[in-house]
Amino acid sequence: MNAAHARAAHDLITMGRVSVDVYPRDIGVPLEDVETFGRYLGGSPTNVAVAAARHGRSTAVVTRTGDDPFGRFVRRALKEYGVDDRFVSAVPGLPTPLAFCEIFPPDDFPLYFYRHPKAPDLEIRAGELDLDAIAAARVMWATVTGLSEEPSRTATLTALEAHPGTTVLDLDWRPMLWRDPGRARPLVRRALEHATVAVGNVDECEVAVGERDPRRAAAALLDLGLDLAIVKRGPDGVLAATRAGTVERPPVPVEVVNGLGAGDAFGGAVCHGLLAGWDLERLLAFAGAAGAIVASRLACSAAMPTTAEVEALLREGKG
């Protein structure tokens, strides 16, 4: 790789799901009764790229949209958020996915995916990947949902294998997005062979390694060869483990408006902390505060906090 190419490398490249989130402006109202909605950029790895960009990181997302107005909105929104869209392409004949939610704070946020007949982000093909750019990125982030169907499955595994550095697998378990959820565990294990970091909640850890207890789940992930395992425990906070030890952090207290997107803010902040070389205590405190800020807001991508906002919450003693 020449020096110019190296200088142009991204801090973070994420890969996988994208959507247009259509969220109600009415809180505590069933979807069938909502009259006014907001439209936002969405999809977990897309949100992670946005979140890291808010912390000044050079980010890009590898995904596909429909060849339609919503696809054009996705690319425009990515640019507005400072995310490189050069690896986003359209799939003729497939609509850009939509995601609707209902908002019943503090802990009920039903989510409805419209990804039929097939989501274009599952049409990412290995032969079309810019593997040089992926390999050059300082951090690469992929998701388990990307393993749910071909050709995305092979493309995701190819990208993970191509990346020589910090490679994060978001355990991202959405069983409704799998034709055959029973196939997930062996595919997740294959992906974990090429990851250095895993991030997931207790349900996702159970799918990956058969363990729900956070400490046992983290230990099982490390036993697979990972350097870092992060287990999100919802109202009980978060646990992170390396071979050197384990760190636990309580949740950051906020008034929850919409819990969707908090995990993506957490993920983008984790990437920022990994890039900065922070210790686990600082990384978890910062990521937890970032997630809490988004939980206190309505949207996902549009709600991602800046570094200054996260640090202000930490100074208040809530992180």
Side-chain angles (χ1 to χ4, degrees):
M1 183 187 304
N2 61 41
H5 192 177
R7 284 196 298 271
H10 295 88
D11 290 323
L12 170 67
I13 291 181
T14 70
M15 179 176 178
R17 207 164 73 241
V18 70
S19 67
V20 175
D21 290 347
V22 186
Y23 285 2
R25 298 194 185 278
D26 302 315
I27 295 174
V29 177
L31 201 55
E32 61 267 28
D33 296 328
V34 174
E35 295 185 358
T36 306
F37 295 85
R39 176 202 59 182
Y40 309 97
L41 180 66
S44 181
T46 304
N47 289 336
V48 168
V50 171
R54 286 286 176 91
H55 301 304
R57 297 300 178 178
S58 167
T59 70
V61 60
V62 179
T63 193
R64 306 196 75 183
T65 69
D67 187 10
D68 56 21
F70 283 129
R72 293 193 290 274
F73 165 74
V74 165
R75 297 193 71 156
R76 186 182 72 196
L78 286 170
K79 292 175 183 175
E80 289 173 351
Y81 291 130
V83 177
D84 190 344
D85 72 334
R86 76 179 69 180
F87 308 123
V88 180
S89 60
V91 181
L94 291 179
T96 300
L98 303 179
F100 290 81
C101 78
E102 295 174 306
I103 301 176
F104 299 105
D107 58 3
D108 187 18
F109 307 100
L111 194 56
Y112 304 89
F113 293 102
Y114 289 76
R115 292 169 59 85
H116 302 288
K118 184 180 185 180
D121 54 62
L122 293 174
E123 283 291 314
I124 301 171
R125 298 179 180 275
E128 298 171 353
L129 296 174
D130 186 336
L131 294 179
D132 287 340
I134 290 171
R138 296 175 63 193
V139 176
M140 193 265 171
W141 176 290
T143 77
V144 162
T145 296
L147 304 173
S148 62
E149 288 195 37
E150 292 289 7
S152 172
R153 178 180 304 139
T154 295
T156 300
L157 292 170
T158 299
L160 287 168
E161 187 174 4
H163 192 268
T166 300
T167 307
V168 185
L169 183 67
D170 180 356
L171 300 179
D172 180 43
W173 177 235
R174 305 281 186 176
M176 74 288 288
L177 302 184
W178 287 69
R179 295 183 191 273
D180 182 4
R183 296 195 63 191
R185 181 172 294 173
L187 290 169
V188 175
R189 298 292 280 265
R190 282 182 61 189
L192 285 169
E193 292 175 4
H194 305 295
T196 62
V197 180
V199 180
N201 61 34
V202 292
D203 292 332
E204 293 165 339
C205 289
E206 184 176 29
V207 172
V209 294
E211 294 283 0
R212 290 186 62 82
D213 176 82
R215 286 182 174 271
R216 290 200 299 268
L221 288 165
L222 294 178
D223 285 344
L224 294 176
L226 278 78
D227 298 327
L228 171 63
I230 299 176
V231 183
K232 296 180 286 187
R233 303 183 299 168
D236 295 322
V238 63
L239 176 149
T242 68
R243 287 173 186 77
T246 300
V247 173
E248 297 182 68
R249 293 283 304 188
V252 178
V254 293
E255 183 175 346
V256 174
V257 173
N258 184 359
L260 301 174
D264 302 334
F266 180 93
V270 164
C271 292
H272 177 56
L274 291 171
L275 287 161
W278 291 346
D279 61 48
L280 276 186
E281 286 278 2
R282 183 178 182 187
L283 185 150
L284 290 187
F286 187 92
I293 289 172
V294 172
S296 71
R297 297 172 174 175
L298 174 63
C300 291
S301 57
M304 295 300 167
T306 63
T307 304
E309 289 174 314
V310 177
E311 291 176 343
L313 183 61
L314 291 171
R315 284 196 300 272
E316 292 174 11
K318 294 183 178 181

